[in-house]
Amino acid sequence: MVNKNSGMVKEECKYCSDLAFYRFIIDSLPTGVITVDADRNITGFNPCAERLTGYSLKEALGQYCGTILQCGMCKAYCPLTTVLHSHKPVSLAATTIVNKRGETIPVRISTAGLFDDKGSLIGCVESLQDISHLKKLEREKENIVSMVAHDMKSSLTIIGGFALRLLKKGGPIDGKKEKRYLAIIKDESDKLESLVNDFLEFSRLQTGKLKLNFSATSLDKELMEVLDFYWLKASQSGIELVLQNEEELPIIEADTRQLRRVFTNLLDNAIKFSEGKGVITISTNETTEKIIVKVKDEGIGIKYNQLPYIFDSFHQGQTKMESEGFGLGLAAVKTIVEGHGGRVFVESELGKGSVFTLVLPKIQKVDDKENIKLLS
């Protein structure tokens, strides 16, 4: 009898342990998890759901789901109602919720039924993922495409207008006027070509298909020339530029033009976010197979929750400064460095600055070169 009771205690303890473990998993998930009963009243609310909605577990428990979430699908197509009636899950539906502060948040929602041991539906579980970041990227993609299309149309209109003037002249055209018209057409066609090239480069960055032309490259020379170019701009902003490379670096195989683009993008960012103070330091060192370049600033830093997205296309860090551009600079840096078989990462502390580290191979592998040509 004692042994049986002991066994029961062990089974109960195991059940309690399993339940605690599952609760720990749900509470640790990076998505909001909400459970409701058959009347759609909330019975569970994990920490991520609290952060997403602004409501605490105590405030949410027992409340009608629609009151807390104010989901955009509640009136027209409530996923909970669908699951309760059809016993079929609703997966990855895009909608919105309104948090406690009245802010509308785009979310991706998945819903599934909860069944008891007899197979009877006793409630539902909802998973909510904040997709604000993705929606912002979509809007900015639309903006850049619209902006490029607008600028291209503007140049085409000007070219067409002056070409039409030249064609409609019945008699001889004044030489100076003809030359001026042709100069305008040439300028606009150059501008149009530049826009097309920028757009094609953007497309390659998006798909990772960037053509690299490898040749013998001196990083010392490239870094010195880039620093010379930026010295005046930095000093006018009250920033000191420092190059720390005690030993001469070996010649490596690289695309010189694209690597220069990497360094200029990083220096542009460092100067922009230094807010006119401090020192920007570029340091280099090497291992047997790699060269390491670090760009360190003493600027405003990057928020911890922004770090995973800093190299994404269109991503712009949330700072008090007015943003410029479309957030393609660091995305280009990542694509170019990885195209060289290297890697780039960032370390940052808010209010104390950032360090961008590039790790580049000294010698390009034959397979890497072939892969790049196939992609380009």
Side-chain angles (χ1 to χ4, degrees):
M1 180 71 72
V2 173
N3 289 336
K4 287 184 179 180
N5 287 337
S6 176
M8 287 179 65
V9 170
K10 286 182 180 178
E11 285 297 318
E12 288 175 1
C13 288
K14 181 179 181 301
Y15 174 77
C16 292
S17 176
D18 288 345
L19 188 61
F21 179 66
Y22 292 138
R23 186 181 297 278
F24 169 74
I25 291 174
I26 291 171
D27 287 350
S28 300
L29 288 173
T31 56
V33 177
I34 301 170
T35 57
V36 300
D37 60 21
D39 295 320
R40 287 176 284 181
N41 295 320
I42 294 173
T43 58
F45 212 68
N46 78 340
C48 187
E50 291 182 297
R51 293 192 296 271
L52 191 60
T53 65
Y55 292 97
S56 67
L57 172 63
K58 185 177 179 181
E59 291 173 313
L61 286 180
Q63 296 291 322
Y64 179 66
C65 177
T67 304
I68 296 296
L69 295 182
Q70 299 182 57
C71 177
M73 300 174 71
C74 282
K75 294 181 181 179
Y77 176 71
C78 174
L80 290 177
T81 302
T82 302
V83 169
L84 290 169
H85 289 168
S86 67
H87 290 206
K88 294 180 181 179
V90 174
S91 299
L92 300 178
T95 183
T96 59
I97 62 170
V98 179
N99 67 15
K100 190 177 180 179
R101 296 182 296 277
E103 300 166 337
T104 300
I105 302 172
V107 295
R108 185 177 286 132
I109 183 171
S110 297
T111 310
L114 296 174
F115 302 89
D116 61 18
D117 293 339
K118 297 179 181 179
S120 301
L121 188 68
I122 57 174
C124 294
V125 58
E126 285 184 303
S127 171
L128 303 173
Q129 182 183 6
D130 186 349
I131 56 172
S132 301
H133 177 68
L134 296 176
K135 290 295 182 181
K136 182 181 178 183
L137 291 182
E138 286 177 8
R139 288 194 301 272
E140 296 200 357
K141 284 179 183 178
E142 290 172 1
N143 287 341
I144 195 171
V145 170
S146 176
M147 187 174 180
V148 170
H150 177 270
D151 289 348
M152 289 175 69
K153 183 179 179 181
S154 177
S155 290
L156 285 170
T157 301
I158 293 170
I159 290 170
F162 281 98
L164 190 61
R165 288 188 189 185
L166 291 170
L167 289 170
K168 282 194 171 183
K169 288 288 182 180
I173 303 174
D174 178 77
K176 289 184 179 180
K177 187 176 289 187
E178 181 181 12
K179 189 174 181 180
R180 184 166 64 87
Y181 287 175
L182 290 172
I184 292 171
I185 290 173
K186 176 65 168 62
D187 287 344
E188 291 299 324
S189 66
D190 288 344
K191 189 187 297 183
L192 190 59
E193 183 181 13
S194 178
L195 281 169
V196 170
N197 287 336
D198 285 346
F199 195 75
L200 287 173
E201 183 123 321
F202 157 70
S203 178
R204 293 187 191 107
L205 286 174
Q206 288 294 97
T207 58
K209 299 177 180 178
L210 184 66
K211 185 175 182 178
L212 298 175
N213 299 307
F214 290 95
S215 62
T217 302
S218 168
L219 281 182
D220 288 325
K221 175 177 176 291
E222 294 305 315
L223 289 171
M224 285 297 296
E225 290 183 358
V226 169
L227 280 175
D228 284 343
F229 179 79
Y230 275 90
W231 181 85
L232 180 61
K233 181 179 179 179
S235 60
Q236 287 175 340
S237 300
I239 298 167
E240 182 183 357
L241 288 183
V242 175
L243 177 61
Q244 293 179 348
N245 58 339
E246 296 179 1
E247 297 183 3
E248 185 178 349
L249 295 173
I251 302 297
I252 67 169
E253 293 183 73
D255 185 315
T256 304
R257 186 177 69 87
Q258 294 293 354
L259 270 191
R260 182 168 290 214
R261 183 179 176 189
V262 167
F263 299 137
T264 56
N265 281 345
L266 291 178
L267 279 173
D268 276 332
N269 261 22
I271 292 172
K272 176 181 176 182
F273 294 106
S274 288
E275 294 189 317
K277 62 181 181 182
V279 179
I280 296 173
T281 306
I282 298 181
S283 60
T284 64
N285 59 74
E286 60 176 303
T287 65
T288 307
E289 297 181 346
K290 308 285 184 182
I291 289 179
I292 300 164
V293 181
K294 293 189 176 186
V295 180
K296 179 182 179 182
D297 65 64
E298 298 174 352
I300 59 177
I302 303 166
K303 291 182 179 179
Y304 179 77
N305 62 351
Q306 298 291 313
L307 288 175
Y309 313 109
I310 201 70
F311 294 105
D312 291 353
S313 296
F314 301 102
H315 178 79
Q316 295 172 315
Q318 297 174 0
T319 70
K320 63 183 180 181
M321 301 176 64
E322 185 177 345
S323 296
E324 298 175 1
F326 286 89
L328 292 172
L330 291 179
V333 167
K334 183 174 185 288
T335 300
I336 293 166
V337 171
E338 290 183 351
H340 282 77
R343 59 192 180 95
V344 57
F345 56 91
V346 60
E347 300 167 277
S348 186
E349 187 174 348
L350 202 60
K352 294 188 177 180
S354 306
V355 181
F356 285 84
T357 302
L358 312 178
V359 181
L360 296 167
K362 291 180 179 178
I363 300 173
Q364 290 296 322
K365 295 178 181 178
V366 175
D367 290 345
D368 291 340
K369 289 184 181 179
E370 290 177 351
N371 287 336
I372 291 166
K373 288 177 182 176
L374 286 171
L375 286 170
S376 57

